[in-house]
């Protein structure tokens, strides 16, 4: 089944996204305009992305004479994407956007993620510009964000540093005011930055005429020393090439230097860089007088976004979008591997089936089954264990796609719903975002592993794409926050914030699905199973925090997130099953049979796993935390 038919079901039969057209912001849209956007993106992905997925994996970015060289196909794909208008798909008409629902934007982008995840960095550019639309000044929106939306420029997010990794409170990049008149710069308070940033995706390339870096740095306190912790972090726009107040290039290169390329396991088509800011490789405006890091104008020029010390607050606007985007990326890689292994299982003949057991005549005794060596080999898909691996992949990837589109639908509700509905959507997103990022990153990677297994020895070769899908997907457990970070965010903050109201809202929606399922033939037992899982997660949440000691509560945050994620996915699948059975009388199909089969698989094979995960959470097991270092 093609991705398009899956999206059509989820968007229209499950999420009823066409109902959004009744809202003022989306009133010009219809099912026809939504379909046109999906058609366009599907075509571009098919023509400009999919044929070059292997090419960008084998022809990695390289540096020649200080320039990053990428295959021509990467430039063409990026150009086609920008010309489609998808960079500003959800933006206002007034700034050149299409005012599409975010749900449609996410669905349309899924074609590109499935075709070739590592071509381009559109997710970061859109997230960068969206952040500036919320937290930037009018000039910053006009000059930087709009030029990213129209495709002239691209954007990055520069957080991590070589010595700090995920520990943002330990970043060492500094920013100091750029002398007299810096506060009055039309592009925002002007600073000079110096420091090193690591793992910066699309940090340098020549696909666009400029690159807009969003950089986290610390402004020294009154004592001249950086303010400790994350409260001292501020956010700055640091363009690769300097521009004037109207957005025209001045011809000046900012002091942002490519120090090297990182060569990763996957996503090889995207440049991944180490950038040096303000180290003198490209001295800029040193003649302007006192100011800068050395009093003579040293450092890269940057413009403050928002207030000093609120950089992380601003950046989280971009990071949360990026986390949902990474969840989608992991999901589509899982789906790509599933489709490849499904086709292989249908085409490849290997082995012979186990014969059905017979009954000895007159004796009533079972005769052992066996294999008929003289029979012709059968296709792989005729073996039960191959079907198990295919169903596992289907349940992981299609379930994760549904979850992420549900989260995207919550974004639309947050922005265009009634005040009460918007607030509920906000809280539900707080709880679901760590799961929407991390669950697909773990279980769609497992789907890719199963796809390799189905291919047998061929799965480990470059003759088939599944090994590349696995390599590309392995990065998503790290991208935008590791499992451990997401899990501590979920259990340490999200499920207890505002008195646990977000978790209560989620439980309310799950219970509503349970009630509907109880009325459907064949779904009552699944509904009861989900109800028990919901109660187990709720009880484990309370038990984890029973002593009020964060060290005890969070010692098993990852098992908690795994269990909560499986519960959420079971809910998603049951809700889909209700939608399928509600329309079955009108349009029963093979696709619906497959959805119900994936739902049953998840409840029979996956949901029972949560007991072991929650046991260590509930008992606040300290085995891992308390083992002496010398015992490892």
């Amino acid at each position: 089944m093609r991705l398009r038919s899956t999206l059509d079901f989820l968007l229209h039969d499950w999420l009823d996204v066409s109902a959004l057209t009744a809202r003022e912001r989306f009133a010009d849209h219809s099912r026809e305009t939504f379909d046109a956007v999906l058609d366009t993106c599907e075509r571009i992905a098919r023509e400009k992305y999919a044929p070059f997925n292997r090419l960008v994996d084998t022809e990695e970015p390289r540096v020649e004479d200080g320039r990053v060289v990428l295959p021509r196909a990467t430039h063409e794909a990026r150009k086609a994407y920008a010309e489609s208008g998808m960079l500003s798909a959800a933006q206002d008409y007034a700034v050149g956007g299409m005012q599409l629902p975010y749900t449609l934007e996410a669905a349309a982008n899924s074609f590109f993620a499935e075709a070739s995840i590592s071509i381009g960095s559109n997710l970061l550019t859109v997230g960068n510009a969206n952040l500036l639309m919320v937290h930037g000044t009018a000039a910053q929106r006009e000059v930087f964000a709009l030029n990213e939306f129209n495709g002239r420029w691209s954007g990055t997010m520069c957080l991590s540093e070589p010595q700090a990794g995920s520990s943002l409170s330990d970043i060492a990049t500094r920013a100091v005011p750029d002398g007299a008149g810096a506060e009055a710069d039309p592009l925002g308070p002007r600073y000079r930055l110096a420091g090193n940033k690591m793992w910066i995706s699309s940090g340098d390339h020549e696909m666009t005429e400029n690159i807009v870096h969003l950089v986290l740095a610390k402004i020294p306190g009154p004592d001249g020393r950086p303010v400790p912790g994350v409260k001292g972090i501020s956010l700055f726009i640091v363009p690769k090439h300097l521009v004037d107040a109207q957005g025209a290039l001045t011809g000046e290169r900012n002091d942002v230097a490519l120090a090297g390329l990182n060569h990763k396991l996957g996503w090889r088509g995207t440049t991944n860089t180490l950038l040096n800011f303000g180290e003198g490789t490209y001295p800029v405006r040193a003649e302007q007088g006192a100011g800068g890091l050395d009093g003579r104008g040293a450092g890269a020029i940057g413009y403050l976004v928002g207030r000093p010390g609120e950089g992380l607050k601003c950046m989280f606007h971009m990071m949360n979008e990026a986390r949902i985007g990474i969840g989608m990326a992991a999901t589509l890689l899982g789906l790509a591997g599933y489709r490849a292994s499904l086709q292989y299982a249908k085409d490849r003949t290997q082995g012979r089936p186990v014969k059905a057991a017979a009954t000895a005549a007159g004796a009533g005794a079972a005769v052992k089954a066996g294999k008929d060596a003289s029979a012709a080999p059968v296709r792989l898909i005729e073996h039960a264990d191959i079907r198990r691996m295919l169903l596992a992949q289907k349940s992981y990837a299609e379930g994760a796609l549904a979850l992420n589109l549900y989260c995207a639908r919550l974004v639309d509700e947050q922005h265009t719903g009634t005040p009460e509905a918007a607030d509920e959507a906000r809280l539900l997103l707080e709880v679901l975002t760590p799961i929407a990022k991390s669950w697909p990153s773990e279980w769609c990677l497992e789907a890719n592993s199963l796809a390799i297994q189905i291919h047998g020895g061929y799965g480990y070769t470059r003759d088939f794409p599944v090994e590349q899908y696995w390599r590309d997907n392995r990065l998503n457990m790290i991208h935008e926050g590791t499992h451990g970070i997401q899990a501590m965010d979920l259990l340490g903050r999200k499920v207890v914030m505002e008195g646990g109201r977000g978790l209560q809202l989620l439980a309310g929606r799950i219970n509503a699905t349970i009630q509907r399922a109880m009325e459907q033939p064949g779904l009552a037992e699944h509904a009861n199973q989900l109800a028990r899982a919901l109660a187990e997660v709720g009880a484990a949440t309370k038990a984890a925090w029973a002593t009020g000691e964060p060290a005890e509560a969070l010692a098993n945050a990852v098992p908690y997130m795994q269990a909560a994620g499986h519960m959420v996915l079971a809910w998603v699948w049951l809700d889909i099953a209700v939608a399928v059975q509600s329309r079955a009388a009108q349009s029963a199909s093979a696709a619906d049979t497959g959805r119900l089969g994936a739902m049953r698989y998840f409840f029979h094979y996956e949901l029972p796993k949560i007991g072991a995960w929650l046991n260590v959470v509930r008992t606040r097991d300290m085995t891992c935390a308390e083992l002496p270092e010398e015992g490892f």
Side-chain angles (χ1 to χ4, degrees), residues 491-513:
L491 181 55
R493 222 165 55 87
K494 299 301 179 60
V495 299
V496 296
M497 66 186 297
E498 298 186 27
R501 192 162 72 90
L503 188 58
Q504 292 166 12
L505 285 171
L506 178 60
R509 300 210 174 187
I510 293 173
N511 279 320
T513 297

Side-chain angles (χ1 to χ4, degrees), residues 267-509:
W267 288 58
R268 290 176 171 173
T270 300
T271 57
N272 191 273
T273 62
L274 170 63
L275 298 178
N276 291 343
F277 290 84
E279 295 202 341
T281 305
Y282 303 100
V284 58
R285 298 182 185 176
E287 74 286 352
Q288 68 180 21
L293 292 154
D294 62 355
R296 298 190 303 276
I301 291 177
Y303 306 98
L304 181 68
V305 179
R307 296 179 179 179
E310 294 188 357
L312 206 55
K313 176 183 175 182
C314 296
M315 186 64 88
F316 265 112
H317 181 94
M318 182 179 181
M319 289 168 66
N320 285 333
E321 285 186 20
R323 284 169 177 169
I324 294 174
I326 290 301
M328 283 291 280
T331 295
L332 272 299
L333 284 165
L335 270 174
Y338 165 60
R339 298 189 200 288
S341 63
L342 174 60
Q343 190 61 53
Y344 187 83
K346 288 180 177 180
D347 294 341
R348 169 79 172 185
T349 57
Q350 185 172 318
R352 291 156 183 82
V354 176
K355 293 189 299 182
T359 302
V367 177
K368 290 184 178 179
K371 293 183 180 180
D372 182 357
S374 65
V378 297
R379 295 175 304 147
L380 285 176
I381 198 170
E382 297 180 50
H383 297 290
D385 195 53
I386 297 294
R387 290 178 169 232
R388 175 190 65 81
M389 290 188 280
L390 288 170
L391 260 180
Q393 292 179 71
K394 182 180 179 70
S395 73
Y396 299 155
E398 290 186 10
L401 179 61
L403 170 63
N404 276 280
L405 288 177
Y406 182 85
C407 288
R409 181 66 177 77
L410 288 175
V411 172
D412 286 322
E413 197 65 32
Q414 185 179 3
H415 292 160
T416 65
T418 65
E420 181 181 359
D423 189 57
E424 286 192 4
R426 172 189 64 84
L427 265 176
L428 283 166
L429 275 169
E430 292 281 11
V431 174
L432 288 175
T433 295
I435 295 171
K437 184 274 173 185
S438 286
W439 196 93
S441 300
E442 179 172 4
W443 295 98
C444 290
L445 178 69
E446 174 62 16
N448 291 137
S449 180
L450 292 172
I452 292 174
Q453 188 73 12
I454 287 172
H455 280 73
Y458 287 110
Y460 296 88
T461 71
R462 290 195 169 185
D463 296 336
F464 293 89
V466 288
E467 60 85 26
Q468 182 184 344
Y469 294 144
W470 186 93
R471 286 187 289 103
D472 285 341
N473 218 350
R474 185 59 185 83
L475 274 67
N476 290 319
M477 296 177 78
I478 300 292
H479 279 153
E480 308 310 327
T482 65
H483 270 9
I485 289 172
Q486 303 296 335
M488 287 190 288
D489 182 44
L490 178 65
L491 181 55
R493 222 165 55 87
K494 299 301 179 60
V495 299
V496 296
M497 66 186 297
E498 298 186 27
R501 192 162 72 90
L503 188 58
Q504 292 166 12
L505 285 171
L506 178 60
R509 300 210 174 187

Side-chain angles (χ1 to χ4, degrees), residues 203-220:
D204 199 27
H205 56 76
E206 295 190 346
M207 290 188 290
T208 55
E209 68 178 35
N210 206 356
I211 302 174
V212 181
H213 301 292
L214 285 180
V215 183
L216 292 182
K218 290 188 175 184
I219 301 172

Side-chain angles (χ1 to χ4, degrees), residues 9 13-14 520 523 574-584:
F9 167 80
D13 295 289
W14 186 51
Q520 293 276 0
L523 297 182
L574 187 61
D575 206 65
I576 288 172
V578 171
V580 166
Q581 293 203 168
S582 296
R583 71 170 193 161

